[in-house]
Amino acid sequence: MLGKMGLGTCLAQAQSAASTPSTELMHRAEKNLTRTIVHDIFSPPIASRIYLYANAAAYETLVLEHKKYHSLHGQVPHFPKISGGESAAPVNYPLAALYAFFRTGGQLVFSEHLLTDSVAVILREFKESDSLVYQNSLRLGQAVSDSILKWASRDNYLLTRRQRRYSYSKAPGKWIPTPPGFIDAVEPYWSQIRSVTFDSAQQFKPLPPPAFSPDQASEFMQQAREVYDVTRALSDEQRLIANFWDCNPFYLNTQGHLNFATKKLSPGGHWISIAGQAAASAKLDWTATSATYLITAVALFDGFISCWDEKYRSQLIRPETVINSYLDETWRPLLQTPPFPEYTSGHSVISTAAAVVLTEYLGEQFRFVDKTEMEYGLPARTFSSFRAACDEAAISRLYGGIHYRAAIEQGQVQGERVGQWVLSRLRLRP
């Protein structure tokens, strides 16, 4: 955890003529948090939780200065009232916000030293000649972080860590772990996590999936056959799309008896990156940038709760298991099958939810270049809108061979409802 001694010591070097650097520092902070999440191999739902609380801390700090923006207090049940803006003590709010962001994120990851190393480098850009302003800013950032972490501690996360091991159903058509790692079920109790905006995790329960049947003429087997046929005739562009949106933090390499992980971005991390690139392209100021990150983080967080609620209700078998059992035992999907049930498609849900809120904040026809995957060896892709990006993310799961069409289409319906609900419940901007 980012303690007072370690963080305070590394920040002491950052003092020296008052200035507020550009919002690029906020984007750098997000990237450093993402790299730490990737390094620690957090599951997609847990990653969304880290993004939520770190960004809430930054936003709530900036709102203390910009009163036209709206705190989560009074909008979100049990959200604390953040104090500090009434003080006459001079404060650099962007400095305080980044301190709150790093301190909160540091409490939620394993490798806090990776964040600590980046704190001094980033906050050194705040050249404050007045040590009083500097210290006041750190104190405010810490106070906000403490409030957010106290709120986070009551979201049932620790309770879900103590649940019994997931018991697999032996009924036909139910999900079982898949090759090559046969990894146990990931976050089977995530629906118990406290949502930011929902009345309950079941609020946006989708239509049930097609009923399992091995009959080749059944709707279920027709959907499985589509996955099989599509993946055997992929174009180069379809392969690129599948890999661009892979975002599987559990990817396992197998070479003979040697198994090792390749660390990858989570789906939520990809959309946090898109939010940051879009905010930078739109040249948003500090508070508007922070609001964009936060509304995206809320959509992701609540989207995962809704999606995971359905996954472990329907417990639907993955295409890889069905195709190997009934169509072709030698077939393998282009992408590695993630370790949780099939229905609905997580990427379809959260991508659509994120696209809905970003469209509201930045516009229906917001054109952007997504460079997220470049550091993972893939070229940038250009999108005419956030909707176009989420549609591509969704269909990528069919190209990758890891989802049936019903999970993709109903996942997007579910994500649309989540995104619209978040917008109806939270007002951040003036």
Side-chain angles (χ1 to χ4, degrees), residues 73-211:
H73 178 71
Q75 302 189 76
V76 175
H78 311 299
F79 189 86
K81 179 172 177 56
I82 307 294
S83 60
E86 306 83 7
S87 172
V91 168
N92 184 320
Y93 285 93
L95 170 59
L98 284 183
Y99 186 85
F101 177 90
F102 276 121
R103 189 175 184 277
T104 304
Q107 297 278 352
L108 302 174
V109 299
F110 300 139
S111 303
E112 64 168 317
H113 65 280
L114 297 180
L115 280 181
T116 303
D117 290 345
S118 68
V119 171
V121 175
I122 290 178
L123 295 195
R124 194 176 293 128
E125 300 291 334
F126 290 86
K127 303 185 190 306
E128 287 289 354
S129 58
D130 189 335
S131 63
L132 177 61
V133 171
Y134 184 80
Q135 295 302 327
N136 288 342
S137 302
L138 298 194
R139 278 193 289 271
L140 175 59
Q142 180 170 327
V144 175
S145 177
D146 286 343
S147 293
I148 296 299
L149 288 169
K150 185 176 181 180
W151 177 54
S153 70
R154 298 170 180 167
D155 69 356
N156 297 328
Y157 178 75
L158 293 179
L159 178 64
T160 63
R161 303 308 93 184
R162 298 194 292 267
Q163 297 279 20
R164 68 181 184 278
R165 187 170 180 176
Y166 181 71
S167 179
Y168 301 99
S169 171
K170 293 185 169 64
K174 297 302 183 182
W175 175 78
I176 57 174
T178 50
F182 298 94
I183 300 172
D184 285 341
V186 167
E187 298 302 334
Y189 304 108
W190 198 253
S191 64
Q192 298 177 19
I193 297 293
R194 179 194 62 200
S195 164
V196 176
T197 67
F198 294 162
D199 298 323
S200 74
Q202 299 82 35
Q203 187 167 346
F204 298 115
K205 179 182 176 182
L207 295 173

Side-chain angles (χ1 to χ4, degrees), residues 83-403:
S83 60
E86 306 83 7
S87 172
V91 168
N92 184 320
Y93 285 93
L95 170 59
L98 284 183
Y99 186 85
F101 177 90
F102 276 121
R103 189 175 184 277
T104 304
Q107 297 278 352
L108 302 174
V109 299
F110 300 139
S111 303
E112 64 168 317
H113 65 280
L114 297 180
L115 280 181
T116 303
D117 290 345
S118 68
V119 171
V121 175
I122 290 178
L123 295 195
R124 194 176 293 128
E125 300 291 334
F126 290 86
K127 303 185 190 306
E128 287 289 354
S129 58
D130 189 335
S131 63
L132 177 61
V133 171
Y134 184 80
Q135 295 302 327
N136 288 342
S137 302
L138 298 194
R139 278 193 289 271
L140 175 59
Q142 180 170 327
V144 175
S145 177
D146 286 343
S147 293
I148 296 299
L149 288 169
K150 185 176 181 180
W151 177 54
S153 70
R154 298 170 180 167
D155 69 356
N156 297 328
Y157 178 75
L158 293 179
L159 178 64
T160 63
R161 303 308 93 184
R162 298 194 292 267
Q163 297 279 20
R164 68 181 184 278
R165 187 170 180 176
Y166 181 71
S167 179
Y168 301 99
S169 171
K170 293 185 169 64
K174 297 302 183 182
W175 175 78
I176 57 174
T178 50
F182 298 94
I183 300 172
D184 285 341
V186 167
E187 298 302 334
Y189 304 108
W190 198 253
S191 64
Q192 298 177 19
I193 297 293
R194 179 194 62 200
S195 164
V196 176
T197 67
F198 294 162
D199 298 323
S200 74
Q202 299 82 35
Q203 187 167 346
F204 298 115
K205 179 182 176 182
L207 295 173
F212 171 78
S213 170
D215 184 340
Q216 295 293 324
S218 67
E219 181 184 359
F220 178 83
M221 282 305 295
Q222 288 176 9
Q223 295 225 346
R225 169 67 70 173
E226 180 186 26
V227 176
Y228 181 61
D229 291 341
V230 166
T231 55
R232 291 194 302 159
L234 292 173
S235 67
D236 289 344
E237 175 70 0
Q238 289 171 328
R239 288 178 178 274
L240 180 58
I241 289 171
N243 284 306
F244 186 81
W245 295 103
D246 183 14
C247 304
N248 181 5
F250 304 104
Y251 187 85
L252 186 65
N253 297 276
T254 58
Q255 296 181 5
H257 295 292
L258 177 64
N259 294 334
F260 61 95
T262 294
K263 296 180 179 180
K264 291 187 177 184
L265 198 69
S266 72
H270 196 138
W271 278 94
I272 286 290
S273 174
I274 288 173
Q277 292 173 87
S281 176
K283 297 180 171 54
L284 301 184
D285 64 20
W286 276 86
T287 311
T289 295
S290 184
T292 301
Y293 274 126
L294 179 56
I295 200 69
T296 304
V298 172
L300 296 172
F301 182 75
D302 282 0
F304 274 116
I305 291 173
S306 181
C307 181
W308 253 241
D309 174 65
E310 177 57 39
K311 280 186 180 294
Y312 287 96
R313 177 176 31 252
S314 55
Q315 303 174 56
L316 190 62
I317 193 170
R318 285 279 184 171
E320 184 168 11
T321 308
V322 172
I323 293 171
N324 288 166
S325 299
Y326 299 104
L327 297 177
D328 182 352
E329 65 180 9
T330 67
W331 178 86
R332 294 292 180 270
L334 174 64
L335 303 182
Q336 210 168 87
T337 302
F340 33 81
E342 192 271 347
Y343 190 84
T344 50
S345 159
H347 223 324
S348 301
V349 174
I350 66 98
S351 295
T352 306
V356 166
V357 299
L358 285 170
T359 296
E360 175 66 21
Y361 272 53
L362 292 167
E364 191 73 39
Q365 301 300 324
F366 191 94
R367 185 179 180 85
F368 65 98
V369 178
D370 184 2
K371 301 178 181 179
T372 303
E373 297 292 326
M374 290 182 67
E375 62 182 281
Y376 299 97
L378 295 172
R381 293 185 67 79
T382 300
F383 297 99
S384 59
S385 66
F386 299 114
R387 298 277 186 169
C390 81
D391 289 347
E392 185 178 281
I395 198 63
S396 75
R397 314 323 261 170
L398 177 63
Y399 301 156
I402 60 176
H403 278 295

